Amino acid sequence: MPTPPEPISSIAGLLRRLESHYGKQEPLWPTDPYLFLVWWYCGYPASDATCARGWELLKREIGTEPRQILAASPKDLAHALKPGGMVPELRAMRLKELAARIQDEFGGDLRSALIRPLAQARKILKSFRSIADPGADRILLFAGIAPLPAVASNCPHVLVRILHGHERDNYGVTYREAQEAIAAEVPAKVDARIRAYLQLKRHGQELCKRKPKCDQCPISRSCAYFAGKHRGRGARA
Ligand code: SF4
């Protein structure tokens, strides 16, 4: 019988084991801030799959530059966005708004406008529709502008389960605890934090889902949730 892996005591160790299980992860979305916003509006409800479907047809039929989006008719834009899911007409309007703002307010270069104190950069990003703090942090991290401890908005529970046993009832608290854990242990470097974001996201999508598949998990021996379950209850710090 194979020897079970040793428990891991640090987030760096957890990430190493996740990486040896899933392999190196790459972002599935554009990392330029403007292009990320275009991609984000390509799907609804927004997910990697819906956004990618809308994005592909938009690129092929219209293009992603502000001038191309502004030149397209609302009907053609909505048609290109249709594979991305619901309300393509509304998303077409959002793309037009975005393209107009990028040209008029930012001279066609959103990335350069974000090179400023963090609070101001976040404020700019949050002025775009559907972008709250998690989205703003994700954009700034993946664009290489600031090494923020961003956490995938659909997976903050992963790290909190591992460290504390259960995600909290309040999403905002779970999100903050995941960010604090990354800020405390993952070096404040863009590459290191992107790696943490992508590995924890992948784990949340594959195994540590709402209903986790703990029996297949490569880090179960280091997980407080798993330990609590095997004592007959989930641990809670
Ligand atoms: S053991 Fe279960 S709860 Fe813990 S990280 Fe793995 S899948 Fe998630």
Side-chain angles (χ1 to χ4, degrees), residues 183-200:
E185 284 201 44
V186 178
K189 297 199 163 112
V190 166
D191 286 355
R193 295 210 162 153
I194 286 179
R195 175 174 172 253
Y197 181 105
L198 292 174
Q199 288 296 338
L200 293 168

Side-chain angles (χ1 to χ4, degrees), residues 161-162 203 207-208 212-214 217 219-220 223 225-226:
R161 279 179 184 165
I162 296 167
H203 191 47
L207 296 176
C208 199
K213 298 180 179 173
C214 301
C217 179
I219 52 175
S220 59
C223 175
Y225 178 97
F226 186 77

Side-chain angles (χ1 to χ4, degrees), residues 68 70 164 198 205:
Q68 295 170 312
L70 289 170
H164 303 304
L198 292 174
Q205 287 171 332

